Amino acid sequence: MSIFGKVKNTIGLLKSIDLDALAKLSQKVDLSQVMSAVGNLDDRQLKGLMKMLNSQAKKGQHKLPPIDGDFYNLAQKLSPEERALQMKMRNFMEDEVKPIANRYWNRAEFPHEIIPKFAELNMAGIAYKGYGCPNQSFLMEGILAMELARVDVSISTFFGVHSGLAMGSIYLCGSEEQKEYWLPKMQKFEKIGAFGLTEPEVGSGAAGGLGTTCKKDGDAWVINGQKKWIGNATFSDITIIWARDLDSGQVKGFIVRKENPGFKAEKMEDKMALRTVQNALITLTDCRVPESDRLQNANSFKDTAKVLQMTRASVAWQAVGCARGAYEAALKYTKKREQFGRPIASFQLIQNHLVEMVSNLTAMQTLCFRLSEMQDGGSLTDEHASLAKVFCSMRTRDVVSRAREVMGGNGILLEYDVARFVADAEAIYSYEGTKEINSLIVGRAITGYSAFVS
């Protein structure tokens, strides 16, 4: 190259250099050493250096996909009205519950101030017809359960106990008079409900071994016994109590008011899961309940089972919500957290965990979507609900475990939310039928043999 060519190239080079930036760089490094080092690189090394520099230059400009746990876009199958309800609940949970969720969970207290705000949503008893209820689909009920649990499983449990188990017991087993009196009040959250089936010594064996008893005495019933793990019961206005009739041996249901003589609810302490839920140990000592508060259409455990079948589908959706909340929190974290100069979301091992998580989550969502379709179509059976509950509660455990894994040490801190999902997943795994009981229900259906202990 001629001297004039070299001068021309040098002038062009000087025009392209930011002299202020060069001056700042010279204060940090010895430019002569940098030039010498770069000059000694071979072609392969130079290409590698330029690739790295170009990658750094593009950093922050890479458009990343949105954080969304609905990988198969099931939301597209919802009607515009249903989608609007879903987003109404999501916005409520994001705006009103998420900012306070960890604080109340950590203190094992319930945020009573959100109850009037729940009333404004008009979503309690979402799938019931009449009595001031919205008369939406069971699919919509499931979607809402997912949205609640996606932010806070404890609040989802509060809502499920009140709207599903308590209101559902009256809706399915109450007389017309009982429905007309209680359901409108509960739909507006003017009265809060709880559901008392589990006992200190009786969990999975409730069908045939309830220790709580009832006996007719004139125009009233006398109930004796204890109930344990009863959500909402420390502040509920009524609790649905299931008891074994000493005369007939059949299970009956009662609307027990908090002011009934002989009714006592004590808060259970030191839980590691669902800490915001106010679980109670209930003691009934010669508790007198008038005949008018006996659920008139609850005459055996088969009637109790109808309530459990209906709500078990919602618990499967709740498991989906717990998994989705953990997955989305973990995915968000991996995109922001950097190690070795780049986001950990770009690492192979992290991506493997994320793919396992979204695979489980997608399988759970599609299973529950079909489950709710069957429920709306009237073809839902016990085994269908049980399969969804057992599968989803197991897969949720795996998802939250992987979410905690990709977050490293930060995964055990409440401020990142995943620690709460990890703990709460253990409660979902156990309530509304354990893995073993639900497995036996499905096993009986597919083999024709009952493996239950008789």
Side-chain angles (χ1 to χ4, degrees):
M1 180 182 294
S2 67
I3 186 65
F4 296 105
K6 292 180 179 180
V7 171
K8 184 178 180 180
N9 285 346
T10 302
I11 293 173
L13 181 62
L14 289 172
K15 288 181 178 179
S16 66
I17 293 176
D18 185 337
L19 295 179
D20 289 336
L22 190 65
K24 291 180 181 178
L25 181 62
S26 68
Q27 295 175 2
K28 299 178 181 179
V29 297
D30 187 330
L31 290 177
S32 62
Q33 287 186 352
V34 172
M35 292 298 295
S36 176
V38 172
N40 290 328
L41 297 177
D42 58 29
D43 290 346
R44 181 183 62 80
Q45 291 171 323
L46 279 171
K47 287 181 179 179
L49 176 62
M50 292 308 299
K51 183 177 180 181
M52 182 189 72
L53 292 174
N54 288 331
S55 174
Q56 291 294 320
K58 294 178 181 178
K59 186 178 177 181
Q61 300 174 7
H62 180 202
K63 186 177 181 180
L64 300 175
I67 296 172
D68 186 0
D70 186 8
F71 193 69
Y72 273 12
N73 295 319
L74 290 175
Q76 292 182 354
K77 293 179 69 66
L78 300 178
S79 69
E81 180 188 8
E82 289 172 331
R83 181 63 171 161
L85 286 173
Q86 179 186 17
M87 296 312 297
K88 185 178 180 180
M89 180 63 84
R90 178 175 298 184
N91 292 335
F92 171 79
M93 293 300 292
E94 290 283 349
D95 297 341
E96 301 291 343
V97 178
K98 190 172 184 178
I100 63 174
N102 287 334
R103 183 168 78 252
Y104 277 95
W105 192 94
N106 197 38
R107 298 190 325 213
E109 297 175 357
F110 187 84
H112 293 278
E113 66 270 21
I114 70 170
I115 293 179
K117 298 175 183 179
F118 258 125
E120 293 175 4
L121 292 176
N122 190 35
M123 292 188 187
I126 188 75
Y128 308 148
K129 183 178 180 180
Y131 315 104
C133 298
N135 191 27
Q136 293 288 327
S137 65
F138 282 108
L139 173 62
M140 195 68 248
E141 182 182 62
I143 294 292
L144 295 182
M146 176 187 70
E147 289 297 334
L148 285 155
R150 174 181 168 272
V151 171
D152 190 346
V153 182
S154 287
I155 299 302
S156 177
T157 300
F158 155 75
F159 188 87
V161 168
H162 172 77
S163 176
L165 289 168
M167 288 183 69
S169 295
I170 297 172
Y171 184 75
L172 292 179
C173 302
S175 66
E176 194 60 33
E177 291 77 15
Q178 290 169 333
K179 295 176 189 179
E180 290 178 352
Y181 181 81
W182 289 108
L183 292 180
K185 293 179 174 61
M186 297 175 76
Q187 202 280 329
K188 297 176 183 177
F189 286 90
E190 294 171 357
K191 298 292 184 181
I192 303 299
F195 180 88
L197 177 62
T198 303
E199 300 179 352
E201 302 300 328
V202 180
S204 298
L210 282 184
T212 300
T213 62
C214 60
K215 185 173 179 61
K216 188 76 180 293
D217 182 23
D219 60 354
W221 291 80
V222 179
I223 305 176
N224 283 283
Q226 285 189 314
K227 299 292 181 180
K228 192 174 183 180
W229 300 108
I230 312 307
N232 302 353
T234 62
F235 60 90
S236 62
D237 297 287
I238 61 170
T239 302
I240 306 299
I241 294 292
W242 300 93
R244 179 172 52 85
D245 187 346
L246 286 174
D247 293 325
S248 69
Q250 293 293 339
V251 172
K252 287 181 167 57
F254 299 88
I255 302 170
V256 180
R257 310 179 193 222
K258 63 181 179 182
E259 63 270 19
N260 279 32
F263 177 86
K264 181 182 179 183
E266 302 171 86
K267 179 182 175 181
M268 296 177 61
E269 303 284 358
D270 303 325
K271 296 184 299 173
M272 65 159 276
L274 300 183
R275 290 175 54 78
T276 304
V277 176
Q278 303 299 290
N279 293 94
L281 173 67
I282 293 176
T283 302
L284 301 118
T285 307
D286 293 330
C287 181
R288 295 186 67 84
V289 178
E291 167 65 16
S292 59
D293 281 347
R294 180 179 67 84
L295 291 175
Q296 298 299 303
N297 295 310
N299 299 306
S300 72
F301 191 80
K302 290 182 179 180
D303 297 313
T304 317
K306 293 177 183 177
V307 180
L308 298 176
Q309 183 197 94
M310 180 179 67
T311 57
R312 191 161 287 155
S314 292
V315 174
W317 273 109
Q318 190 180 67
V320 173
C322 179
R324 182 169 179 173
Y327 164 73
E328 291 179 349
L331 179 58
K332 179 180 179 181
Y333 177 88
T334 61
K335 290 184 176 185
K336 291 185 175 181
R337 174 71 168 178
E338 292 190 1
Q339 290 291 287
F340 311 109
R342 58 196 179 109
I344 64 173
S346 66
F347 297 164
Q348 292 181 1
L349 291 177
I350 296 297
Q351 289 191 4
N352 181 67
H353 280 304
L354 292 171
V355 171
E356 291 281 354
M357 291 161 68
V358 78
S359 298
N360 280 325
L361 177 57
T362 302
M364 293 160 59
Q365 286 175 309
T366 51
L367 185 153
C368 284
F369 207 97
R370 176 56 185 153
L371 178 76
S372 292
E373 287 181 336
M374 296 176 73
Q375 191 171 13
D376 283 319
S379 61
L380 180 72
T381 64
D382 286 342
E383 53 265 28
H384 295 143
S386 290
L387 178 64
K389 201 279 177 175
V390 71
F391 177 79
C392 291
S393 60
M394 287 194 300
R395 293 303 95 208
T396 293
R397 269 179 146 188
D398 187 78
V399 171
V400 299
S401 176
R402 290 179 185 274
R404 180 261 178 273
E405 181 80 13
V406 301
M407 297 177 79
N410 286 332
I412 67 172
L413 294 175
L414 274 181
E415 66 178 286
Y416 295 98
D417 296 326
V418 165
R420 178 162 47 83
F421 287 120
V422 170
D424 290 347
E426 291 303 303
I428 296 174
Y429 183 73
S430 295
Y431 66 31
E432 282 277 358
T434 62
K435 171 186 177 294
E436 290 74 19
I437 288 297
N438 280 303
S439 295
L440 293 180
I441 292 172
V442 178
R444 180 177 60 193
I446 63 177
T447 67
Y449 294 100
S450 177
F452 287 93
V453 176
S454 59

